[in-house]
Each structure stands twice: as C-alpha cells, then as structure tokens.
Amino acid sequence: MKNKLDNYIIKGGKKLFGEVYVQTSKNASLPIISASLLTTDKVRIKDCPDILDVKNMILMLQKLGVKINNDDKDIIIDSSNLNNVNLDCKLTKTMRSSIFLLGSLLHRFGTIMINTPGGCKIGARPIDIHVDAFKKLGVKVVCMGDCLFFDASKARAGKIHLKLPSVGATENIVQFACLLKGETQIFNAAKEPEVVDLCNFLSLMGAKIFGAGTNKITIYGVDRLHGVEYSPIGDRIVAGTLMVAVALTGGKLALKNVNAHQNEKLIDILRRMGCQINIKHGIIKISNSNRLSSIDVSTGYYPDFPTDLQSMLLVMMCLADGESRLRENVFENRFLIKDELIKMGAKIQQIDNRNVLVEGQPELTGCTVRAKDLRGGASLVLAGLVAQGETRVADIHYIDRGYDHLENVLSSLGADIKRK
Ligand code: UD1
C-alpha cells in the first residue's frame, strides 16, 4: 500500500539484468483522458499507467460527475453525466495537467473557472501561452483573484502562433479546435510524440487533424466525436530512466513497448558515453560494463534531448570519467537534485540557473536524500542503485506521480530496493 510518507531504501552495487515491458506514457495518457470528455460516448483507455497523476485526474473528473470504471489496467470513461464545472481547487493546484482539461471542458460547458497555480502570476508559473492561444480563438479570459474565468460563447476557428512550442498549449488547442467550426492552424506547435499520440487518438474519434509531429498543425472542426478504444504509447521517459539505470549499474536490459526513434538523442548520448545498444524488432537492448565517458549536453524541444531526462543524465555525469557540462534550455532552475547529489559525494558546480559543470567521481556514497520533483526523484533512485552502501530516498510520492511501481520494476531486474 502506498503512503505519502513512504521512502525507498536502496542498497547499491547490484547490476541489473532482464527484460521490461515499459508502462504507457504519463504525458500521453493525461491529455488523452482529458480529450475523452469531448464525446458523451464511452471511451476505453487500454493499459493505463497506475500512477498518482492519473489517479488524481480520475478523482478530479469523478467530482465533475464523470463515471470511470477500471477493467484490469484499462479505464472506461463515461462523461455523459458530466455535471459540474467547479474543478477541485486543491487538485488543480497540485497538478499542472489540470490545465489540459480546459480545451475539453470548455466545449462541454461554454464557460469555466480554474484555479491558477499560485494565483494569476502568469509570468512566474506561466500559462500565458495557453491563455493567449484561447484568446486568439475568440475565448474571453478574465482574471478574478486566484482564478481565471474562460467564456467560449464567441469562440471560432483561427490562426495561432505559439511564442514557444509548448506541449500543453498545443494539446489544449488541438482538443479545443476539434469541435470548432472551420480551420484552425497552430504555428510553432510542439512536435513531441505525446502530442502526436493525442492527435492519433482524436483522429480515431473522428477529428480531422493534419501535421501532428511537425511545427504546423491544422485542424478542421467536425460536428461530433465518437467513443473509441485506445492504447497510449509506451513511456519514453520511463524507458530512458531504465536505460540510464543499466548504464550506471552495469548489466544488460531489454526494453519492449518503446519506440527507439523517440529516444534517439538519449541512445546517441549513451553510446557516446560507452554503452552498447542494439535495436531490433522494436526491442531496445542495452548493456554496459565500462566506466562512462564525460559528455556535454543541452536539453531542448523534441527531437532534441528531453528536459525530463536531464536529471538522469546529471547522475551519469557525476560518475563519468572527466568533466561534463549540462545546459537546461527548456525550464529555468531545473537542477533541484544538485544539492542531494552533492550530499552523496558528487562534484557539481552551478554556473547559473541554466548551466552546471560536473567533475566526474569514481563513486557516490549512500545517505538520506529527498525527492523534490518527479524526474529528479527518480534520478536519486538511480544514484542510490550505484552508490556505495545504503541510500534512503524520502518524499517518493513525487516519483509515484509518474512511475508505475518503480520498485517492482527495478527489483525484477535484480536491484535491492524496498518501499518503507
Ligand atoms: C510538458 C510535460 C513535461 C515536460 C514539458 C517539456 C506533460 C503533462 N508534461 O509540460 O513533462 O517537461 O512538456 O517537454 O505533458 N511556458 C510558458 N508559458 C506557458 C506554457 C509554457 O512560458 O503558457 C514555458 C514553460 O515555462 C517552459 C516551456 O514553455 O519553459 C515549455 O513548457 P511546456 O512545453 O508547456 O511544458 P508542459 O506542457 O507544462
């Protein structure tokens, strides 16, 4: 049973061997669940990941009157009784993905009020790209204290140029535009595989979407969408996390339910750092028996190296032979695990909020560290797998947001990791 106060206790030094069927993607599942509300028919989402973010979204939708049933790992969504537009403030505050519900809920109700994370500080925790894009489609947006009020009564199709290729904003507008009469064009759209997966899902429901996966997406509004069964793509970030685990500990791993093409940049980096990787019949095989080589990497929008794998790469750099540089181009201040890794013996120098310099060490030493975010938390687990002695990772509820029982997956490969 998972508890908010659970820790991971890891005894480092075990090599990992085996095969993993990678869970379905968190970042694909969440917008797909949201888009299920665009029809009153039933939608079955197959093999949905058992993670906290999905559970929280389900909880939020149930409070809005949506019926959601589990059938093994599938979830069946029936939003025919959707009856309440008061999104739960506590949940919308803890989960940024609730912003993705805007596109679908606005269609069902015409108006909606949402709590903005930390009030209307659009600059500090920005949702300005979402808001500007909705405004371009004729939606009226009014800031009321800690809330934003959206009125779509005069909404119409249109042309949108995104200031940055925001994944969430692209997904929101694609959902909204599917049922808007006329042609909507999104320029500088996000190209991430999860955006493509959402578009594939919507197309199966009857939407007319062109250009998904490129920087220009065109949507022709249709009158209605219908129910479907759909299995979201495998999670490229979870797959990447496991590949890095083997790169660090040594051993051999085969990954199924993952598209190597979507992890091209990571695979290239792992090879350059000394790992052996083979891709055949849709299975990625990785092995490593050497000390990793140092490397310089910058994160970026897809197809560049993903920001969500940046902290895993940082752990590899901490143990690589020589000096590495890491630049974070997508988010500011995404080096939250730096101080925790330093406690374990890493030598990391932060140049500014986008750049770090890492002097690789021969080993890290286990101690108590604290997860402060989802991907950073998973990276501390990876550091624990390779560290000397015992590592306790606290606040693992962050990790549960996106990893489906990470301890079971790692234990099945031979790691010594327990939830306590
Ligand atoms: C999604 C992913 C997240 C990933 C991120 C970037 C989900 C649920 N989450 O988050 O895991 O790390 O893409 O690949 O899919 N920005 C603004 N204004 C906005 C929106 C974004 O300035 O209105 C900025 C952000 O601060 C950030 C950049 O744009 O610097 C990219 O953010 P975005 O692509 O929107 O990330 P999310 O969709 O929130």
Side-chain angles (χ1 to χ4, degrees):
M1 175 68 90
K2 288 180 187 174
N3 182 307
K4 203 167 178 302
L5 300 175
D6 282 351
N7 298 300
Y8 277 141
I9 312 289
I10 305 157
K11 292 201 176 90
K14 291 263 164 55
K15 289 187 178 180
L16 303 181
F17 290 93
E19 189 178 289
V20 172
Y21 185 87
V22 177
Q23 71 180 68
T24 42
S25 161
K26 167 179 95 71
N27 288 355
S29 301
L30 292 170
I32 284 173
I33 293 174
S34 162
S36 304
L37 308 182
L38 290 169
T39 178
T40 49
D41 296 348
K42 283 187 185 158
V43 171
R44 177 184 282 260
I45 300 170
K46 294 181 181 170
D47 204 14
C48 209
D50 184 13
I51 55 175
L52 214 52
D53 270 12
V54 165
K55 284 185 179 145
N56 281 337
M57 187 175 252
I58 288 176
L59 218 61
M60 192 152 55
L61 294 180
Q62 283 170 333
K63 289 190 177 175
L64 302 176
V66 180
K67 285 199 189 114
I68 301 183
N69 291 312
N70 287 76
D71 180 13
D72 195 12
K73 285 204 88 177
D74 296 1
I75 61 168
I76 300 144
I77 301 174
D78 174 358
S79 67
S80 54
N81 288 322
L82 185 61
N83 60 20
N84 188 335
V85 287
N86 297 317
L87 283 180
D88 186 308
C89 282
K90 208 171 125 216
L91 286 174
T92 55
K93 260 192 173 168
T94 54
M95 203 169 64
R96 185 171 167 81
S97 355
S98 55
I99 185 88
F100 300 144
L101 288 168
L102 259 181
S104 52
L105 287 181
L106 255 181
H107 267 296
R108 297 294 295 269
F109 297 111
T111 62
I112 193 166
M113 180 100 91
I114 62 153
N115 186 294
T116 56
C120 289
K121 291 184 222 133
I122 281 171
R125 184 74 197 273
I127 56 166
D128 56 326
I129 300 177
H130 299 251
V131 170
D132 289 349
F134 277 113
K135 282 183 176 167
K136 278 269 155 46
L137 297 182
V139 175
K140 195 172 157 198
V141 187
V142 184
C143 183
M144 299 167 86
D146 272 357
C147 293
L148 281 177
F149 177 73
F150 293 78
D151 177 356
S153 53
K154 298 208 170 93
R156 42 160 169 68
K159 284 188 170 57
I160 297 161
H161 292 258
L162 299 181
K163 181 176 79 175
L164 295 169
S166 157
V167 173
T170 303
E171 292 173 340
N172 234 340
I173 295 305
V174 165
Q175 290 178 59
F176 190 63
C178 279
L179 291 168
L180 273 187
K181 202 173 161 56
E183 177 182 340
T184 296
Q185 289 178 321
I186 309 174
F187 296 91
N188 200 23
K191 296 182 286 219
E192 269 68 3
E194 295 77 15
V195 174
V196 177
D197 206 35
L198 170 69
C199 293
N200 288 341
F201 170 76
L202 284 163
S203 300
L204 214 62
M205 290 174 85
K208 291 206 158 42
I209 304 171
F210 300 90
T214 75
N215 58 10
K216 183 186 160 197
I217 301 181
T218 306
I219 305 121
Y220 296 98
V222 294
D223 290 337
R224 79 174 287 272
L225 298 173
H226 54 78
V228 288
E229 290 191 6
Y230 194 80
S231 183
I233 51 172
D235 195 311
R236 66 192 166 106
I237 306 302
V238 171
T241 306
L242 296 173
M243 282 193 257
V244 172
V246 171
L248 287 165
T249 61
K252 198 168 183 180
L253 171 70
L255 290 172
K256 291 181 171 168
N257 195 34
V258 55
N259 180 341
H261 181 63
Q262 294 167 358
N263 269 318
E264 214 165 77
K265 280 287 173 330
L266 174 68
I267 288 171
D268 177 51
I269 286 167
L270 287 169
R271 281 183 172 141
R272 283 196 280 146
M273 291 182 89
C275 300
Q276 291 73 50
I277 300 178
N278 282 307
I279 302 149
K280 224 178 187 177
H281 309 306
I283 298 173
I284 302 177
K285 287 188 179 159
I286 173 167
S287 61
N288 186 31
S289 48
N290 305 314
R291 182 160 182 203
L292 297 163
S293 309
S294 58
I295 198 161
D296 294 345
V297 177
S298 301
T299 65
Y301 300 100
Y302 191 83
D304 283 343
F305 183 78
T307 173
D308 284 357
L309 287 172
Q310 179 254 92
S311 52
M312 293 73 170
L313 189 58
L314 181 59
V315 178
M316 288 200 287
M317 289 175 168
C318 290
L319 287 157
D321 187 11
E323 202 174 82
S324 301
R325 283 164 202 274
L326 183 53
R327 177 170 170 81
E328 171 57 57
N329 280 323
V330 180
F331 289 101
E332 282 173 30
N333 268 327
R334 206 180 186 185
F335 295 114
L336 291 176
I337 65 161
K338 179 195 62 145
D339 292 337
E340 304 303 294
L341 289 173
I342 289 173
K343 279 192 214 163
M344 298 177 81
K347 289 223 166 114
I348 307 170
Q349 190 194 339
Q350 185 150 4
I351 314 287
D352 53 37
N353 63 5
R354 294 234 183 231
N355 294 283
V356 290
L357 186 65
V358 187
E359 192 187 319
Q361 303 300 303
E363 61 184 38
L364 295 176
T365 308
C367 64
T368 297
V369 286
R370 192 166 286 282
K372 292 173 185 163
D373 70 317
L374 161 62
R375 303 302 170 189
S379 303
L380 291 174
V381 171
L382 301 188
L385 291 176
V386 70
Q388 298 286 318
E390 188 175 285
T391 299
R392 175 185 292 261
V393 182
D395 283 344
I396 61 171
H397 56 92
Y398 284 111
I399 302 171
D400 291 332
R401 280 188 45 214
Y403 291 83
D404 190 338
H405 300 86
L406 184 59
E407 70 277 23
N408 294 351
V409 177
L410 292 171
S411 299
S412 76
L413 299 174
D416 188 340
I417 174 168
K418 290 194 172 56
R419 179 183 285 265
K420 252 188 191 162

